[in-house]
């Protein structure tokens, strides 16, 4: 039986569920990863999906389907133990009640896409991580709207749940079917097996190689403006680009998403005059064993090496291979990867910048920034300067690839202005329309780009494919040492090798190179172009002419070393 609070337009119904087991387990990696980033996301930690319900079904069908759904999926009846000093765990209830909200909206029931706006955060220690609502028109169920915490499902997992719910509403006989074989608790137990540990070791080896060799920053350019981060969104909708995308993907035997990723990365490398780059592609991990229909949060980042080839089609083929190779190493213990990032960042003197993040939602019914993503347009439309909740220097979100391409480019206006973001999207259109007809030489890409290459002053140098701002790096050294006269000097080595030496007379005479390096790494933050010197020379006093590198080099020193 169900009990209900009744009102004219709104009813909250408590629906019983009864699963196969209860218990307390550790969190699997993907779930624990969510708790790492969730405090920084606000309402972004909650997302909404919806689906139309089959005709001819009743409210009782909907409520029975909801009970069967929660009985089947342990993640939907889980609370979490997390917080400072707490060993993270998932706690599954075997039986209980879940609430379903019924919204009588009349003819507007077919348009509802939200439960609360904005979505309310979940109390993960007390609330099950899903909220379910069903809209009705004259008492007839029309649409299901679910709010999910990212702890219980990524977008793919949420759509699996929603599709299953629609099927349970349509087919009463399926409501007693056996539960899925693989639950988050099973995944947590598997991750502690020798097989899983070997896979994790291979994944960490892959990340270690990429972090050691790829430039840590792609958008290493002079700041367009000073001040705190300010993020904006530019969007492109295009039917001609969709046709071109399909033709290029077919000819190269790659996915449309690979074409868009390649185009964006190629364009940014050309614009910033960068030879190599590190891309971060969000991946569903559904190709892993037992994960195709898994209801859980397992989407994580794939670290993809990128380098433009002499021609666009050659770049496309290589990038496609690199993406799918990186996908093998996209499920991991985020704490272990973050330790690698910090350790290697300290060794290299610059932390990794997540400068280009790719989120392909084209196969998972994502809406995000666009309620009319599926509406065709005649030509190409570009909008810019839109508000966004997403953060990061540049993020490409792919919403649709057919019949209309819909992409969004989120950017920090300190590094990419609103006008530049719009022109990058128009340039993307020109590149794709041209590539559908013929190959494009990278050396001639500028003919299709409506922006000049980024200009850098004499204070910028390129070291190992990374652009370094010497003046900003010097400011960081001065802040860390308390020496307003500290200098960063470029040193040429054998076979074209270059490195940076930091000369300083620290305000505190007790500090050594290791102390200085730690202080620099703590203050680098998100400064693009700034890096720690490769080595340090610490003197008791600055020379009489501190602006002259030769004067520093002739000065007696009290300590020297890499600080690593």
């Amino acid at each position: 039986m169900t009990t209900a609070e009744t009102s004219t337009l709104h009813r909250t119904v408590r629906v019983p569920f009864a699963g196969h087991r209860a218990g307390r387990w550790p969190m699997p990696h993907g779930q624990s990863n969510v708790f790492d980033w969730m405090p920084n996301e606000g309402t972004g930690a909650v997302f909404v999906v919806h689906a139309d319900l089959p005709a001819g079904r009743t409210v009782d069908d909907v409520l029975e389907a909801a009970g069967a759904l929660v009985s089947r999926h342990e993640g939907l009846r889980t609370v979490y133990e997390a917080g400072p000093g707490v060993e993270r765990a998932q706690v599954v209830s075997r039986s209980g009640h879940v609430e379903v909200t019924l919204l009588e909206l009349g003819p507007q029931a077919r348009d509802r896409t939200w439960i609360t706006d904005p979505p309310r955060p979940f109390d993960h220690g007390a609330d099950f991580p899903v909220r379910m609502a069903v809209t009705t028109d004259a008492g007839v169920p029309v649409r299901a709207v679910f709010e999910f915490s990212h702890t219980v499902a990524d977008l793919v997992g949420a759509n699996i749940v929603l599709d299953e719910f629609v099927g349970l509403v349509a087919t009463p006989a399926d409501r007693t079917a056996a539960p899925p074989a693989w639950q988050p608790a099973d995944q947590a137990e598997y991750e502690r097996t020798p097989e899983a540990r070997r896979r994790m070791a291979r994944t960490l080896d892959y990340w270690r190689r990429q972090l050691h060799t790829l430039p840590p920053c792609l958008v290493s350019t002079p700041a367009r403006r000073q001040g705190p981060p300010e993020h904006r969104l530019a969007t492109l909708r295009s039917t001609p680009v969709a046709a071109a995308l399909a033709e290029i993907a077919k000819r190269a035997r790659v996915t449309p998403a690979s074409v868009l990723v390649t185009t964006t990365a190629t364009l940014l490398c050309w614009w910033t005059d960068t030879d190599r780059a590190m891309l971060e592609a969000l991946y569903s991990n559904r190709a892993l064993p037992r994960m195709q229909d898994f209801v859980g949060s397992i989407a994580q980042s794939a670290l993809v090496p990128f380098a433009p080839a002499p021609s666009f089609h050659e770049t496309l083929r290589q990038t496609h291979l690199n993406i799918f190779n990186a996908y093998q190493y996209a499920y991991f213990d985020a704490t272990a990867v973050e330790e690698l990032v910090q350790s290697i960042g300290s060794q290299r003197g610059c932390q990794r910048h997540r400068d280009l993040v790719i989120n392909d939602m084209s196969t998972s019914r994502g809406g995000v920034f666009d309620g009319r993503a599926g509406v065709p347009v005649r030509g190409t439309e570009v909008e810019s300067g839109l508000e966004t909740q997403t953060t990061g220097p540049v993020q490409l979100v792919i919403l649709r690839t057919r019949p209309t391409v819909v992409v969004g480019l989120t950017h920090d206006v300190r590094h990419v202005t609103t006008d530049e973001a719009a022109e990058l999207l128009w340039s993307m259109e020109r590149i794709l329309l041209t590539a559908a007809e013929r190959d494009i030489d990278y050396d001639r890409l500028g003919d299709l780009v409506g922006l000049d290459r980024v200009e850098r002053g004499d204070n910028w140098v390129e070291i190992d494919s990374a652009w370094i701002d010497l003046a900003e790096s010097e400011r960081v050294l001065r802040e860390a040492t308390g020496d307003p006269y500290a200098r960063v000097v470029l040193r040429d080595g054998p076979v074209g090798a270059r490195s940076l030496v930091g000369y300083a007379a620290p305000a505190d005479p007790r500090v050594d190179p290791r102390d200085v390096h730690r202080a620099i790494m703590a203050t680098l933050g998100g400064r693009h172009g700034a890096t720690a010197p490769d080595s340090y020379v610490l003197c008791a006093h600055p020379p009489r002419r501190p602006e002259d590198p030769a004067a520093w080099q002739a000065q007696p020193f009290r300590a020297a070393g890499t600080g690593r």
Side-chain angles (χ1 to χ4, degrees), residues 42-299:
T43 57
V46 182
F47 64 100
V48 187
V49 294
H50 64 269
D52 294 332
L53 296 174
R57 294 295 148 188
T58 66
V59 167
D60 284 343
D61 286 318
V62 166
L63 300 180
E64 289 178 13
L69 186 74
V70 176
S71 299
R72 186 177 292 188
H73 295 288
E74 291 177 357
L76 304 183
R77 45 189 167 91
T78 295
V79 295
Y80 305 95
E81 297 175 357
V86 176
E87 184 180 1
R88 290 177 178 175
Q90 50 179 324
V91 181
V92 179
S93 296
R94 184 182 182 280
S95 60
H97 291 80
V98 64
E99 293 184 347
V100 177
T101 300
L102 301 176
L103 300 172
E104 173 54 51
L105 301 177
Q108 295 180 335
R110 290 164 175 78
D111 301 323
R112 185 67 169 240
T113 59
W114 50 272
I115 300 177
T116 57
D117 188 18
R120 291 181 292 111
F122 287 90
D123 178 355
H124 291 100
D127 301 336
F128 291 151
V130 62
R131 300 186 186 105
M132 297 181 282
V134 173
T135 65
T136 59
D137 181 0
V140 177
V142 171
R143 171 171 282 190
V145 184
F146 285 14
E147 286 181 351
F148 286 93
S149 165
H150 270 287
T151 58
V152 67
D154 47 39
L155 185 58
V156 174
N159 283 318
I160 290 171
V161 171
L162 198 61
D163 289 343
E164 190 171 322
F165 179 71
V166 171
L168 291 170
V169 171
T171 311
D174 290 345
R175 296 171 198 166
T176 57
W182 201 251
Q183 305 278 2
D186 302 315
Q187 179 65 19
E189 290 181 339
Y190 166 74
E191 288 172 6
R192 283 148 182 81
T193 65
E195 177 189 4
R197 293 181 188 278
R198 288 192 295 271
R199 174 186 282 272
M200 187 58 55
R202 292 193 296 272
T203 294
L204 294 178
D205 284 344
Y206 173 85
W207 277 74
R208 186 179 293 107
R209 290 195 305 272
Q210 305 307 324
L211 291 169
H212 266 302
T213 57
L214 291 172
C217 187
L218 169 58
V219 190
S220 189
T221 59
R224 294 334 194 219
R225 52 173 280 188
Q226 302 300 320
E230 182 181 331
H231 297 93
R232 288 292 181 266
L233 170 70
T235 62
L236 176 145
R237 299 176 184 81
S238 176
T239 301
V241 168
L245 198 61
E247 175 61 28
I248 298 167
K250 179 182 177 182
R251 184 189 309 148
R253 297 183 179 180
V254 301
T255 65
S258 289
V259 180
L260 287 170
V261 171
T262 300
T263 305
T264 305
T266 301
L267 187 54
L268 283 172
C269 279
W270 182 90
W271 182 51
T272 61
D273 195 14
T274 303
D275 297 331
R276 294 181 294 143
M278 184 188 306
L279 317 183
E280 192 168 313
L282 302 183
Y283 179 52
S284 70
N285 279 308
R286 299 293 155 172
L288 291 173
R290 300 174 292 269
M291 289 300 185
Q292 184 174 357
D293 297 317
F294 180 71
V295 174
S297 193
I298 58 170

Side-chain angles (χ1 to χ4, degrees), residues 32 36 56 76 88 119 131 179 184 193 212 231 292 297 331 343 352 381 383 408 460 488 491 505 508 523:
S32 184
D36 288 335
L76 304 183
R88 290 177 178 175
R131 300 186 186 105
T193 65
H212 266 302
H231 297 93
Q292 184 174 357
S297 193
Y331 187 73
S343 173
R352 174 177 70 113
E381 299 175 359
E383 295 181 90
W460 286 80
V488 171
R491 179 174 59 190
D508 184 349
T523 58

